[in-house]
Amino acid sequence: MTSISLSGRFAILLDKHGRQSINQVFDDAVETVGKAVAPTFLLCVLLDVRTCTVEEFYQSCAEMLRGEG
């Protein structure tokens, strides 16, 4: 698991089942709001701030999604 702080928010990298578990916790919570997103979301952030090239973005997304099952 990897976490990155984004302006007071946290992005946590989990596999598909981990995201489903976290999202269930958020769905059941009364006062807590959140959403676990696919790992490729973090790559979108990197592309948006020009930390990686478009080619690196596509290659990394393909590699991450290949392991999603």
Side-chain angles (χ1 to χ4, degrees):
M1 175 169 57
T2 302
S3 67
I4 299 170
S5 177
L6 303 170
S7 302
R9 299 177 184 192
F10 290 89
I12 301 171
L13 184 62
L14 299 167
D15 65 4
K16 178 180 174 182
H17 300 291
R19 289 192 309 276
Q20 290 171 342
S21 296
I22 294 294
N23 284 331
Q24 186 63 51
V25 170
F26 284 131
D27 290 344
D28 294 343
V30 175
E31 296 182 21
T32 304
V33 178
K35 180 76 175 159
V37 297
T40 52
F41 171 77
L42 298 175
L43 295 174
C44 292
V45 172
L46 293 176
L47 181 63
D48 191 47
V49 296
R50 302 181 194 275
T51 305
C52 68
T53 67
V54 173
E55 183 178 353
E56 291 170 328
F57 170 78
Y58 286 131
Q59 287 176 346
S60 297
C61 284
E63 289 175 21
M64 290 180 116
L65 293 174
R66 198 176 353 255
E68 278 286 306

